[in-house]
Amino acid sequence: MNKVYGRMFALMASTVLTMPALADEDQVKIALMTDLAGATADYGGQGAIEAVKMAIEDFGGTLNGKPIHADFIDHQNKPDIAVTKAREAFDSGTDMVINLSNSAAALGVMEIAQSKDKVVVVTGAGSDRITGDACSPNAVHFAFNSYSLANSPVKALAANGVNNWYLIVSDFAYGLSVEAAVTGAIESSGGTLAGSVKHPAFMASDFSSYALQAISSGAQAIGLSNSSSDTTNSIRALKEFGLGGDQQMVAFTLLINEIHGLGLDQASGLLFADGFYWDRTEQTREWSKRFYERVGKMPNMVNAGDYSGTLHYLRAVEAAGTTDAKTVLAKMREMPINDMFAENGKIREDGMMVHDMYLVQVKTPEESQYDWDYLKVLETIPAEEAFLPLDQSKCSLVNKG
């Protein structure tokens, strides 16, 4: 176990505080709830901790004269633990919970937050249900969702004549949500689905049979409707069994950390949509280099979303002059998001924070010029195209009249 994780476990043993503990009424209290060391730690972990700390520090450490206090809670990637710990956090005075990697965990915590009138900012989970049929007036969805990650690559490939697909799907809430979004995008683009295969989430280590089925299907594009280690294991297996020629590999949820772990030899040519790339602008580079000094790796879109979501919440509390959830959420919807993550981002009535997305491709080793120089930004997808139109929403909060 390296020193970073050793320190992290020590912090987990006694809830991490960024400020001295004071009476609840004398502080603004937020909690990062995520997977700190498990299968989806790239969606949380030390990167999430430091991103939230950076937001609090950049805001100034206090809000309307009150210290800003943060807890870092490990839900161990288990929805039941997430719900229990969220209830405990809200009962102890927590005003806002952020991240919530794991879609089932996010949906469970959203229910608790609504019943206790608290704020939830989801950055680490992507199910469309969060702003769809399970939407909540107390929840905001930052960073990405399965629709925004699925729609753009499918449409881009269709425009270039690639319209026949085979899907490798993780058989759990998020993977199935991605599958539904991808299937819908294929149909709306006039494409066809040659077939699909499902695998257990975070349990399969041998992806040989799934890769062979996908390659032998003859589909022009092989889409990976999974995440985290399931996606990287799928990529390794596809490369091992000879993916090449005219077949295009597309990941529907991929973080730069996973490309770093795979290496450009295995990941090169891979196409996917992303909500943030560290090397895109001067502003993204400046923030990302600060993050790198603290974490030792470049940030992914979830890390950037944790920072932006925390900062936007704090700004809304400041503007509202209260931590009352309804008042703060109204301010969050009213105020645009302009920072290194989003330009003129806005929170819609369904709770989705819509912003531009980016269609990216992994570079070859020869194209990469320096450390973490991994992606080519092929195009910017405007917010109105990247996210589901409101008139198609299943959210009960949307006024379609």
Side-chain angles (χ1 to χ4, degrees), residues 27-343:
Q27 61 189 319
V28 177
K29 192 172 183 181
I30 65 177
L32 168 77
M33 181 178 291
T34 189
D35 179 5
L36 288 180
T40 60
D42 282 337
Y43 294 78
Q46 194 67 24
I49 290 173
E50 295 302 326
V52 169
K53 284 183 177 180
M54 286 174 70
I56 293 171
E57 292 166 12
D58 288 352
F59 189 80
T62 63
L63 201 163
N64 296 337
K66 298 180 180 182
I68 303 166
H69 167 101
D71 292 332
F72 302 120
I73 303 170
D74 187 9
H75 65 36
Q76 301 173 40
N77 213 26
K78 296 177 180 178
D80 57 335
I81 292 177
V83 168
T84 298
K85 292 194 173 185
R87 184 179 289 108
E88 292 171 352
F90 290 138
D91 286 345
S92 69
T94 294
D95 301 298
M96 184 271 278
V97 168
I98 192 167
N99 189 288
L100 292 169
S101 59
N102 184 301
S103 291
L107 291 166
V109 172
M110 284 167 56
E111 291 185 12
I112 301 299
Q114 186 170 348
S115 70
K116 295 183 177 293
D117 199 24
K118 300 290 187 174
V119 178
V120 169
V121 180
V122 180
T123 58
S127 173
D128 291 340
R129 294 193 63 212
I130 293 166
T131 53
D133 67 307
C135 70
S136 164
N138 292 72
V140 173
H141 200 176
F142 250 71
F144 72 100
N145 68 354
S146 51
Y147 183 95
S148 66
L149 297 181
N151 197 47
S152 303
V154 172
K155 287 187 174 179
L157 286 175
N160 289 289
V162 178
N163 52 25
N164 183 248
W165 288 79
Y166 189 95
L167 303 180
I168 298 176
V169 181
S170 178
D171 194 10
F172 83 126
Y174 179 63
L176 299 175
S177 176
V178 173
E179 179 190 28
V182 172
T183 302
I186 292 170
E187 290 174 355
S188 66
S189 299
T192 57
L193 186 63
S196 65
V197 61
K198 290 183 172 61
H199 64 80
F202 309 123
M203 295 178 66
S205 57
D206 184 359
F207 279 72
S208 302
S209 63
Y210 311 128
L212 286 169
Q213 289 178 64
I215 292 170
S216 63
S217 72
Q220 294 171 292
I222 297 173
L224 307 179
S225 300
N226 47 25
S227 61
S228 193
S229 59
D230 291 336
T231 297
T232 54
N233 286 333
S234 299
I235 292 167
R236 289 189 180 98
L238 287 166
K239 286 289 182 126
E240 179 183 352
F241 287 97
L243 177 77
D246 295 330
Q247 285 185 311
Q248 173 71 54
M249 182 166 48
V250 181
F252 292 113
T253 310
L254 191 69
L255 301 178
I256 194 169
N257 316 66
E258 293 153 350
I259 297 167
H260 185 74
L262 281 165
L264 295 183
D265 283 330
Q266 290 200 314
S268 62
L270 185 68
L271 195 72
F272 64 103
D274 208 336
F276 175 86
Y277 179 46
W278 76 269
D279 204 15
R280 190 178 64 84
T281 68
E282 283 302 320
Q283 191 177 14
T284 60
R285 281 187 283 273
E286 186 276 332
W287 183 82
S288 298
K289 287 173 181 176
R290 289 172 53 210
F291 180 94
Y292 184 89
E293 289 173 359
R294 302 170 72 124
V295 184
K297 57 187 176 183
M298 285 301 178
N300 57 49
M301 69 174 170
V302 180
N303 303 146
D306 287 329
Y307 175 90
S308 180
T310 300
L311 198 58
H312 187 62
Y313 171 78
L314 295 176
R315 287 170 174 165
V317 173
E318 181 180 51
T322 178
T323 55
D324 173 72
K326 288 184 175 62
T327 308
V328 172
L329 284 157
K331 279 293 179 185
M332 291 178 74
R333 289 177 168 84
E334 175 187 319
M335 298 166 61
I337 296 94
N338 282 296
D339 54 25
M340 86 303 164
F341 179 75
E343 299 167 16

